[in-house]
Amino acid sequence: MVVIEPMKSEHADQVLAIYQEGLNTRNASFETIAPDWSTWDSNHLAEHRFVAIDTHTGAVLGWVALSAVSSRCVYAGVVEESVYVHPAARGQGVGRRLLDAVIASSEQAGLWTIETGIFPENEASIALHRAAGFRVVGLRERVGKHYGQWRDVVFFERRSPAVS
């Protein structure tokens, strides 16, 4: 059984290991090496991060977290989302349950837009986000180099129907 619970510092090693496994696919982020916990922690909103826990083993199967997109007051309700699932747990609904949890927490906090950028080659993440109510806003062409190659990013957002 899998439960979704708030992320705690005791999950740090597993969260960063899952992040690194995602980075190793070369289709999850422009980042190539997961940061240390202090850096990761300072870049994500404490009240909007969750882990999926295997209740039999206690292992973290995935995580989701939000980060602010800007310090400008006009963007106070706009956040960026990241979700990563352990390779052994992919395709089992873990990512969707994590997204549902962070969407609920964001709406309870009055946040009105969640955005994320996904490499076009990451078809599983694109399908996950579409299923969770995200829509394509546009394609950012050749937005950055990754391993020496220009990469496009599909830009998604989810506007909350609960926050007006």
Side-chain angles (χ1 to χ4, degrees):
M1 190 163 102
V2 175
V3 297
I4 307 299
E5 62 183 48
M7 186 186 297
K8 301 174 186 158
S9 59
E10 64 210 42
H11 300 125
D13 290 344
Q14 292 180 79
V15 164
L16 293 177
I18 290 169
Y19 186 29
Q20 187 61 55
E21 288 190 44
L23 298 179
N24 291 346
T25 69
R26 295 187 176 199
N27 279 328
S29 172
F30 280 104
E31 301 298 327
T32 58
I33 298 174
D36 61 40
W37 179 250
S38 176
T39 301
W40 190 97
D41 184 50
S42 69
N43 289 325
H44 294 86
L45 302 172
E47 63 276 14
H48 303 290
R49 48 174 99 161
F50 298 91
V51 289
I53 303 290
D54 180 325
T55 58
H56 299 296
T57 65
V60 174
L61 301 177
W63 60 268
V64 65
L66 300 180
S67 55
V69 298
S70 176
S71 61
R72 294 180 60 203
C73 64
V74 70
Y75 294 109
V78 182
V79 291
E80 182 178 6
E81 165 266 320
S82 297
V83 60
Y84 285 79
V85 177
H86 189 282
R90 291 182 188 148
Q92 299 174 30
V94 171
R96 178 59 190 267
R97 290 186 60 197
L98 287 164
L99 277 181
D100 288 347
V102 84
I103 288 167
S105 78
S106 71
E107 289 181 340
Q108 289 170 356
L111 304 175
W112 56 84
T113 301
I114 301 173
E115 60 185 41
T116 193
I118 304 171
F119 291 138
E121 297 81 5
N122 194 339
E123 295 173 3
S125 187
I126 288 173
L128 169 64
H129 284 83
R130 285 184 188 275
F134 285 74
R135 70 179 182 94
V136 174
V137 177
L139 177 69
R140 300 178 77 194
E141 296 180 27
R142 298 171 46 99
V143 71
K145 284 193 174 184
H146 187 239
Y147 292 99
Q149 299 293 315
W150 286 105
R151 298 289 300 266
D152 297 344
V153 171
V154 182
F155 193 65
F156 283 84
E157 74 173 14
R158 182 188 183 281
R159 294 294 307 250
S160 172
V163 180
S164 54

